[in-house]
Amino acid sequence: MTTTPRRATGRPRGFDADEALDRALLVFWEQGFEGASLANLTEAMGISTASMYATFGNKEQLFRKALERYDEGPSAYVPLALAEPTALGVATALLAGTIRTTTHPDQPQGCLGVQGALATGDAGREVRALLVDWRKNGFARVRERFERAVAEGDLPADTDPALLARYVTVLQQGIAVEAAGGVDAGELQELADAALRNWPLP
């Protein structure tokens, strides 16, 4: 009995796409969307420009995939923080996670979502809009959690959940900017502690 040889489905990639994406993430995180050139990206990823386009699409599509990777990795503390049993616990965990992520010695300082589009021109409009939506989504998730805290009596009935959520998310963004400027984790934690000292309690 003879068998028909299986047809080759194409030449194998020859590189680990997940590892290449992790390296691209670090370049975008450190240099922003506009600052990260194709040459820098492909050199860090260890692949050719043709391979990058074939596997990830254009630079904007690569950035979108890198942002998803950021959510799954460095920013994975967010859903854990939102699951804390109290609103104060949520805020404490969000700020602690932000400090930990933005000052980690083995990765770029600051936050990809805050710094990624700080200096984008016309070519980066879509990425700028993407990151605006990314930050809005983060705010909405915190606001919804605080709305639940008011309904459960964990926050005073007269608390404005949107205002409190804005307070926390603006603190997160400010921490990220300060971390990118070299402020250390200890000083940022002191800031976070001071900011939560007058937290509204039921």
Side-chain angles (χ1 to χ4, degrees):
M1 177 174 158
T2 59
T3 57
T4 304
R6 183 181 298 172
R7 289 180 60 188
T9 56
R11 192 171 159 191
R13 263 199 207 117
F15 67 92
D16 185 319
D18 287 336
E19 185 177 332
L21 184 57
D22 286 338
R23 292 176 179 176
L25 165 59
L26 293 176
V27 175
F28 281 129
W29 192 348
E30 188 169 21
Q31 302 180 15
F33 175 77
E34 194 171 67
S37 68
L38 284 177
N40 289 341
L41 287 164
T42 53
E43 181 180 355
M45 296 164 80
I47 61 176
S48 67
T49 304
S51 292
M52 189 201 88
Y53 278 110
T55 306
F56 301 104
N58 61 23
K59 182 181 172 184
E60 180 186 322
Q61 291 168 319
L62 176 62
F63 183 86
R64 288 176 182 274
K65 289 180 173 69
L67 185 60
E68 290 173 3
R69 196 74 158 188
Y70 184 79
D71 276 336
E72 296 164 359
S75 198
Y77 68 88
V78 173
L80 297 176
L82 293 173
E84 287 287 327
T86 67
L88 178 56
V90 169
T92 301
L94 284 173
L95 296 183
T98 301
I99 293 167
R100 191 167 56 250
T101 300
T102 59
T103 61
H104 196 289
D106 296 331
Q107 60 197 24
Q109 307 298 281
C111 169
L112 172 66
V114 173
Q115 293 160 223
L118 287 182
T120 55
D122 289 343
R125 277 183 311 211
E126 293 297 320
V127 165
R128 188 164 57 243
L130 169 69
L131 291 176
V132 167
D133 287 343
W134 184 83
R135 291 191 295 272
K136 283 181 178 177
N137 178 62
F139 161 74
R141 293 166 73 188
V142 179
R143 184 199 65 219
E144 289 166 6
R145 178 63 184 81
F146 289 168
E147 286 171 351
R148 196 182 95 204
V150 172
E152 293 173 347
D154 177 47
L155 286 170
D158 61 352
T159 301
D160 183 339
L163 182 61
L164 193 59
R166 186 69 69 192
Y167 177 68
V168 172
T169 53
V170 166
L171 277 171
Q172 287 183 273
Q173 293 165 18
I175 285 169
V177 172
E178 290 297 293
V183 179
D184 66 38
E187 188 172 344
L188 292 173
Q189 188 60 59
E190 288 178 6
L191 168 68
D193 292 343
L196 297 179
R197 210 161 278 150
N198 296 315
W199 188 260
L201 296 173

